[in-house]
Amino acid sequence: MGKPDGGWYDETPPSVMACMPEDGATDVHSQKVIIYFDEFIKLENAQEKVVISPPQLEMPEIKATGKRIIVELKDTLKPNTTYTIDFSDAITDNNEGNPLGNYTYSFSTGGEIDTMEVSGYVVDAQNLEPLKGILVGLYNNLADSAFTHEPMLRVSRTDSRGRFVIKGVAHGQYRAYALQDADGDYMFKQKSEMVAFNHDIIVPSAKPDIRQDTIWRDSLHIEDIIQTGYTHFLPDDIVLRAFTEKQTDRYLIKRERVNPERLNFYFTYGDSIIPELEGLNFDAKDAFLTEHTTKRDTITYWLRDTTLINQDTLHIAARYHVTDTLGQLVWETDTFEMLPKVPYERRMKEKKKELEKWEKRQERAKKKGKTVETELPKSFLDVKITMNDLTPENQATIVFPTPMAVIDTTAMHLYMKEDTLWTDIGLRLEPYMGRNHSNAGDVKRYYTLSPGNNDGQWQLNQEYSLEVDSAAFTDIYGMCNKAFKQSTKLKSEDDFTSITIHLTDVGNAPWVVQLLNGSDKVFKEVTCRQHTAEFMYIKPGIYYLRAFEDTNDNGEWDTGSYDNDLQAETVCYYPDKIECKAKWTVEQDWNPMAIGAERQKPGAITKQKADKEKKVKQRNIERARKMGIEYIPKNLSTQ
């Protein structure tokens, strides 16, 4: 006894039975389109997936009811124009969700219909990730100003692979653009919109071509391979690298006082002049120590006086530069109330609770005859010292949580083990000025630590011990560190590998070559001026390579600017992984421009994965296996 299982899963996508007006019709003047199907259908994410050309400034009404789709255009139809409605993969059947796949309906308001197509890819210029859902459009006006003053002529959207197909194109000359259209006007108006452009002239064409189609007998056996003729539309290899322009307009994003001892101001862009603060309910003269990031877009004001730290509300007048409507820096003054996240009264209550808990612990200890502490344990500076993974190229780092008043290097001792004896080799402590840390202004909270001997380099296969006495570090609030000891042993040379990359066909400009981990994060980078990049002391593992042409030689990747006709600096990926083993030396030639940008990035580190098609057929195969029979598809289709 049992219940019916419903039979085989439906693996056939819906089919178009009729259209009104007919698909490919000419002299059409109706603004309503009805498409009929052979089964009940669903329309998924119509506002995102369905694209109409020419672009519609007023949103069309698109809905699916039963076995039909109704599209009602709100814009007035243009004369002698081909209209295309690209549904992409938005149409699926109602039961199993089988997608119709890249269906496009078209009609013309004139006597002829345009049938040419152009296609290609859009990738992120910074990391070559495929860009899904970005708008791609054509202009037959070849002037640069067209992109900023006229809506696109023909449009499409990229799929999950970053691929686009623009249909219904007439013969002529065009330029292609990509745009992350934030305001829906189909033209580039805002710097925050991601954009791609080039000066290539696109001339659509077509030629007869042949492809091979496979006829399957069943899921495992091929019945036949046949050649099928088709129309090959060109160009089909357009590649656009999209970027977001650098935000140069300066304005205040936010200000906060998360901790009572410091005030933070966040700006969109840096300025050479630090904002001036005036205290309205306190004297601001000599009240602050100023810290800022390298780019000066984040400013931190450390309060010196504990009286001000304990004051919950600080009324401040801040005077700083902002960008006006003409793009010029002008002074602006605002008044703020800066309140800490935790009020003073609440902080005191928490301290009182801690004291009460400590007193109860001492009472219990006294009753049990245990040692009783006479003083409440002191708070110490939380100094973070990193001595992991040291090599001759690296240095240890020290990070202080607050501005320091005293750093006594005589209370710090670095020992190296020689045979069985420990030798004091001295140490070097220097402010760290790396790009990833805020270490500028009046405050230095980031330092590097290196040996005092051997030119400041750590030696392989050596053991070191750092001992720091108590009160070696004292911050501006009088807090000190407690004594601590930290040891490390460096690996031997046999535990590492090295990588040498020879760049070819890259011209004379410097390139920055980056070694990446499996998360597409930079592990190490070097500037390559003589076409060779060397990475020493690399741990065994799997790595990837990225490089960019550093045209302005500043060591950083720079974005582009449409107004200045400036492309983002060219980024390339080595298409394969680099496998490193201990004691190995990897040497590799690499021509970064050998293959197209859309095919360079290895799939293992590509975050934007292609959408997976529904595997209804696989469920039928699995069902047949459980029944002990051979699965034969209902329709032998080409794949």
Side-chain angles (χ1 to χ4, degrees), residues 322-576:
V322 296
T323 306
D324 64 8
T325 55
L326 299 177
Q328 303 297 319
L329 287 177
V330 296
W331 285 104
E332 181 168 310
T333 301
D334 282 330
T335 57
F336 305 113
E337 282 189 354
M338 305 293 284
L339 288 82
K341 189 174 183 180
V342 181
Y344 175 75
E345 184 178 351
R346 182 176 162 188
R347 297 199 303 272
M348 292 300 101
K349 285 182 180 179
E350 291 175 353
K351 284 186 178 182
K352 184 178 180 180
K353 287 181 181 179
E354 289 295 324
L355 177 60
E356 291 173 349
K357 289 180 181 179
W358 177 79
E359 290 175 342
K360 289 180 180 179
R361 286 198 301 267
Q362 301 314 303
E363 289 177 3
R364 289 194 296 267
K366 187 175 182 180
K367 289 179 181 179
K368 294 180 181 180
K370 296 182 179 180
T371 304
V372 178
E373 298 177 5
T374 58
E375 293 183 359
L376 184 69
K378 293 182 179 180
S379 298
F380 295 96
L381 279 176
D382 184 19
V383 182
K384 294 185 182 213
I385 299 183
T386 303
M387 297 179 65
N388 302 326
D389 301 325
L390 292 177
T391 71
E393 294 183 342
N394 296 342
Q395 294 173 322
T397 59
I398 300 181
V399 180
F400 297 106
T402 50
M404 291 293 101
V406 176
I407 298 179
D408 185 4
T409 55
T410 62
M412 303 173 64
H413 310 279
L414 182 63
Y415 299 94
M416 185 175 74
K417 194 173 187 180
E418 296 179 342
D419 296 328
T420 58
L421 300 177
W422 288 95
T423 303
D424 190 337
I425 60 173
L427 55 83
R428 302 178 183 184
L429 192 66
E430 299 173 333
Y432 176 66
M433 300 302 294
R435 72 177 67 160
N436 296 325
H437 290 294
S438 166
N439 202 26
D442 303 325
V443 179
K444 301 289 185 292
R445 295 194 297 117
Y446 301 89
Y447 287 80
T448 59
L449 173 70
S450 56
N453 66 346
N454 196 35
D455 295 328
Q457 290 187 343
W458 303 92
Q459 298 182 43
L460 294 176
N461 207 27
Q462 289 288 343
E463 191 171 354
Y464 294 88
S465 178
L466 175 67
E467 297 182 10
V468 179
D469 300 338
S470 60
F473 313 126
T474 305
D475 72 2
I476 61 175
Y477 307 118
M479 288 190 65
C480 303
N481 66 290
K482 60 182 178 180
F484 64 90
K485 178 180 178 180
Q486 191 166 337
S487 300
T488 187
K489 182 175 181 179
L490 275 67
K491 296 181 179 180
S492 69
E493 191 168 357
D494 289 343
D495 293 320
F496 296 102
T497 186
S498 64
I499 302 173
T500 302
I501 303 298
H502 302 288
L503 300 183
T504 61
D505 297 333
V506 292
N508 296 322
W511 281 69
V512 175
V513 183
Q514 299 171 325
L515 194 64
L516 311 174
N517 61 18
S519 300
D520 200 24
K521 301 295 184 184
V522 177
F523 173 72
K524 229 174 191 182
E525 70 177 27
V526 296
T527 298
C528 174
R529 300 184 186 278
Q530 301 297 327
H531 298 177
T532 299
E534 291 184 333
F535 298 95
M536 307 298 292
Y537 309 111
I538 304 300
K539 286 183 178 180
I542 302 297
Y543 297 92
Y544 301 88
L545 284 175
R546 177 172 64 204
F548 65 87
E549 186 178 14
D550 191 15
T551 53
N552 59 0
D553 200 13
N554 67 348
E556 298 181 357
W557 179 83
D558 293 295
T559 188
S561 169
Y562 183 78
D563 289 340
N564 297 322
D565 193 21
L566 180 66
Q567 294 286 346
E569 290 182 333
T570 301
V571 172
C572 298
Y573 276 77
Y574 184 69
D576 298 316

Side-chain angles (χ1 to χ4, degrees), residues 28-272:
V28 174
H29 302 289
S30 172
Q31 293 181 249
K32 179 183 285 189
V33 174
I34 305 176
I35 305 172
Y36 298 91
F37 298 87
D38 62 346
E39 59 180 314
F40 290 99
I41 54 97
K42 293 184 295 184
L43 193 60
E44 299 179 348
N45 298 326
Q47 299 301 327
E48 296 180 8
K49 291 186 175 183
V50 180
V51 179
I52 299 176
S53 284
Q56 304 294 290
L57 298 180
E58 186 175 352
M59 189 67 65
E61 184 178 341
I62 306 173
K63 58 184 179 181
T65 57
K67 297 183 180 181
R68 64 179 182 174
I69 291 176
I70 301 174
V71 179
E72 188 169 351
L73 304 180
K74 301 299 184 180
D75 286 1
T76 303
L77 296 181
K78 299 179 181 179
N80 300 314
T81 302
T82 296
Y83 280 78
T84 59
I85 306 175
D86 186 354
F87 289 93
S88 183
D89 59 352
I91 302 172
T92 63
D93 62 25
N94 190 61
N95 293 327
E96 303 299 342
N98 295 301
L100 177 57
N102 298 325
Y103 172 64
T104 301
Y105 167 88
S106 60
F107 67 86
S108 174
T109 57
E112 297 181 356
I113 189 166
D114 301 319
T115 59
M116 305 300 289
E117 301 177 6
V118 297
S119 57
Y121 295 86
V122 183
V123 296
D124 191 319
Q126 186 171 10
N127 53 29
L128 301 194
E129 282 284 320
L131 286 176
K132 179 182 178 180
I134 194 169
L135 197 69
V136 185
L138 297 180
Y139 282 92
N140 58 6
N141 183 348
L142 304 183
D144 292 339
S145 59
F147 190 33
T148 57
H149 291 82
E150 302 176 12
M152 294 172 173
L153 184 66
R154 313 295 304 179
V155 295
S156 177
R157 285 194 188 275
T158 55
D159 61 16
S160 59
R161 299 172 299 158
R163 182 163 178 79
F164 66 90
V165 180
I166 303 177
K167 301 181 179 181
V169 181
H171 291 280
Q173 293 185 336
Y174 301 90
R175 286 176 62 181
Y177 299 83
L179 177 66
Q180 207 169 49
D181 194 16
D183 48 14
D185 62 357
Y186 296 92
M187 64 182 80
F188 180 43
K189 288 290 186 66
Q190 304 180 33
K191 282 188 175 182
S192 59
E193 295 175 326
M194 184 171 271
V195 62
F197 70 97
N198 59 41
H199 294 293
D200 296 343
I201 302 300
I202 297 170
V203 181
S205 62
K207 66 175 183 178
D209 213 333
I210 296 174
R211 64 167 174 255
Q212 291 185 335
D213 290 335
T214 303
I215 303 297
W216 294 84
R217 180 189 308 163
D218 52 44
S219 61
L220 300 176
H221 302 91
I222 295 175
E223 178 74 20
D224 194 8
I225 297 178
I226 61 174
Q227 292 185 336
T228 304
Y230 74 103
T231 301
H232 189 166
F233 294 100
L234 298 171
D236 60 356
D237 56 355
I238 301 169
V239 177
L240 296 172
R241 295 174 181 249
F243 58 86
T244 302
E245 293 192 6
K246 191 174 184 179
Q247 175 59 264
T248 56
D249 291 340
R250 177 178 167 87
Y251 57 88
L252 180 64
I253 300 175
K254 67 174 181 177
R255 74 289 184 291
E256 62 184 8
R257 188 185 175 191
V258 176
N259 298 317
E261 69 271 12
R262 66 175 184 253
L263 317 177
N264 293 323
F265 287 77
Y266 302 92
F267 292 87
T268 56
Y269 197 68
D271 185 43
S272 59

